[in-house]
């Protein structure tokens, strides 16, 4: 009996750590949205750079290899690429969710949430 219960509890704990909670999934969604914004910024920066070089640049034999700082613009963004503004945007997206705000309120004020004043 006790072993069955311990096995059951272990299975529940394993599931909790392997499957992201609803809030974790929403956080990841917010991070991915900001990564998309970073990708858009990079795409615009690359387009502006190539527009400045002009269409005749290829014909003059300029090398196609990009300098390292420009080549980074073509890569997928990582968390290290987040600026302070990008990080704030993630927090803003999180706090724009009624579900997240309710969760925080319930954790900050547990007595009020359960009806005890």
């Amino acid at each position: 009996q006790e072993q069955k219960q311990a096995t059951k509890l272990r299975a529940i704990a394993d599931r909790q750590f392997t499957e992201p909670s609803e809030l974790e999934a929403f956080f990841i969604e917010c991070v991915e949205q900001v990564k998309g914004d970073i990708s858009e910024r990079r795409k615009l920066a690359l387009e502006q750079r190539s527009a400045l070089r002009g269409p005749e640049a290829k014909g003059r034999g300029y090398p196609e290899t990009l300098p390292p700082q420009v080549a980074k613009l073509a890569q997928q963004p990582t968390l290290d690429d987040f600026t302070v503004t990008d990080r704030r945007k993630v927090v803003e997206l999180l706090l724009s969710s009624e579900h997240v705000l309710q969760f925080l309120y319930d954790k900050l004020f547990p007595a009020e949430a359960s009806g005890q004043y």
Side-chain angles (χ1 to χ4, degrees):
Q1 171 85 14
E2 209 171 289
Q3 263 186 329
K4 285 182 182 179
Q5 190 172 10
T7 304
K8 191 184 222 181
L9 289 174
R10 241 182 306 205
I12 291 170
D14 288 346
R15 202 172 32 243
Q16 285 179 338
F17 290 117
T18 56
E19 297 175 9
S21 71
E22 186 178 337
L23 290 174
E24 289 171 318
F26 183 65
F27 173 76
I28 291 169
E29 187 179 310
C30 293
V31 169
E32 291 302 320
Q33 184 176 342
V34 173
K35 279 184 179 182
D37 295 345
I38 294 170
S39 292
E40 282 298 312
R41 277 198 321 256
R42 288 178 169 185
K43 182 180 172 189
L44 286 172
L46 281 173
E47 288 172 358
Q48 288 174 347
R49 184 178 192 282
S50 58
L52 289 175
R53 287 182 66 196
E56 69 280 349
K58 283 185 181 178
R60 286 191 266 170
Y62 285 112
E64 288 298 315
T65 57
L66 300 172
Q69 68 272 20
V70 177
K72 183 156 177 68
L73 294 176
Q75 297 173 353
Q76 289 294 321
T78 65
L79 292 179
D80 293 332
D81 298 324
F82 278 50
T83 63
V84 171
T85 305
D86 295 327
R87 293 170 196 265
R88 279 195 187 120
K89 177 74 174 179
V90 171
V91 173
E92 286 173 13
L93 289 170
L94 276 171
L95 295 179
S96 68
S97 165
E98 186 70 33
H99 181 70
V100 172
L101 292 177
Q102 186 63 51
F103 173 82
L104 291 173
Y105 185 85
D106 291 346
K107 292 297 178 185
L108 289 170
F109 307 107
E112 291 179 21
S114 65
Q116 300 172 358
Y117 295 100

